[in-house]
Amino acid sequence: AQSVTQLGSHVSVSEGALVLLRCNYSSSVPPYLFWYVQYPNQGLQLLLKYTSAATLVKGINDFEAEFKKSETSFHLTKPSAHMSDAAEYFCAVSNNNNDMRFGAGTRLTVKP
Amino acid sequence: KAGVTQTPRYLIKTRGQQVTLSCSPISGHRSVSWYQQTPGQGLQFLFEYFSETQRNKGNFPGRFSGRQFSNSRSEMNVSTLELGDSALYLCASSVGLGTSTDTQYFGPGTRLTVL
């Protein structure tokens, strides 16, 4: 069975600081991995996804994530946080793109 | 191209009633997946439909059901509502072929409150 674990339900950073949101996955087959963002009262927006083409995946809004098989990790980073990045972030795993298992989410707060 | 639409956006029901939620996928998408989001359980996969057939199913009781029509629109039904069914129900659509280029796009959700 596939699953993801997001380390840290809340992360707080200062504006301009590095953002690091952690995700570890478990999958018996090579997985597809995703990061989604959710703003209040909205659905999920895809930030980026890993499909085995490249281990460093670049997404929208300067977010990127690196797939590390040896560590079973897919951490999300952004070099410089903006106030508009404050939201909830979800890591997800799938083996077919259509049945995704999500982590519990990490709420990112950006302080001015 | 229009995004995924869900109707209604908000719904209030009482225990024991049933409810039907609707999802219209992006044009050309044949797969529709449903998810339940609650503060306690997070995002949980309900089921996925592809070409009018249920292709995957999560771990939910039989009170939760769905269907998909020939135009790919999907409905999900919850019968005998319980207080714990209060949640944001999200629908996502994709082309559905499961290839690396396939991506799920989410609708804004239907907020169901059970009183």
Side-chain angles (χ1 to χ4, degrees):
Chain A
Q2 306 161 92
S3 65
V4 292
T5 302
Q6 291 184 241
L7 302 174
S9 58
H10 289 89
V11 170
S12 181
V13 300
S14 297
E15 192 172 19
L18 171 73
V19 175
L20 170 61
L21 304 182
R22 300 176 188 274
C23 172
N24 287 89
Y25 71 91
S26 171
S27 176
S28 57
V29 298
Y32 294 146
L33 292 161
F34 308 81
W35 276 100
Y36 281 88
V37 61
Q38 186 177 35
Y39 297 99
N41 299 315
Q42 294 187 27
L44 301 175
Q45 180 183 5
L46 180 69
L47 285 175
L48 49 83
K49 70 175 185 180
Y50 166 77
T51 59
S52 79
T55 57
L56 183 63
V57 183
K58 294 188 182 298
I60 62 172
N61 301 335
D62 295 328
F63 282 96
E64 63 181 39
E66 187 172 8
F67 174 73
K68 292 187 177 181
K69 186 176 179 181
S70 61
E71 299 177 8
T72 61
S73 69
F74 190 58
H75 302 332
L76 181 72
T77 61
K78 180 172 179 174
S80 176
H82 294 172
M83 297 297 291
S84 60
D85 294 327
E88 187 140 23
Y89 292 79
F90 293 92
C91 181
V93 63
S94 171
N95 64 2
N96 63 10
N97 269 320
N98 300 307
D99 168 7
M100 288 197 291
R101 308 298 163 133
F102 287 86
T106 297
R107 185 168 299 279
L108 176 66
T109 301
V110 182
K111 299 175 292 185
Chain B
K1 191 181 270 191
V4 178
T5 57
Q6 292 186 246
T7 56
R9 291 293 312 278
Y10 301 90
L11 205 49
I12 299 176
K13 292 286 188 179
T14 56
R15 278 181 298 174
Q17 288 187 310
Q18 75 166 20
V19 67
T20 300
L21 312 182
S22 181
C23 173
S24 292
I26 291 171
S27 177
H29 285 189
R30 295 164 63 192
S31 168
V32 173
S33 298
W34 289 89
Y35 297 85
Q36 181 197 63
Q37 185 177 25
T38 60
Q41 300 297 318
L43 274 157
Q44 297 186 86
F45 171 74
L46 279 155
F47 29 65
E48 183 229 353
Y49 286 85
F50 179 79
S51 293
E52 302 179 67
T53 301
Q54 188 179 85
R55 188 162 65 172
N56 292 295
K57 189 177 189 306
N59 189 26
F60 276 81
R63 301 186 297 107
F64 292 81
S65 62
R67 59 178 176 169
Q68 186 179 35
F69 302 95
S70 57
N71 62 358
S72 294
R73 189 177 69 86
S74 177
E75 290 180 346
M76 68 162 282
N77 184 78
V78 187
S79 62
T80 320
L81 284 166
E82 301 176 359
L83 294 179
D85 297 333
S86 294
L88 180 67
Y89 290 88
L90 293 165
C91 162
S93 78
S94 70
V95 172
L97 299 179
T99 63
S100 61
T101 56
D102 206 358
T103 297
Q104 284 200 27
Y105 295 90
F106 282 78
T110 293
R111 171 81 57 189
L112 172 65
T113 301
V114 182
L115 302 176

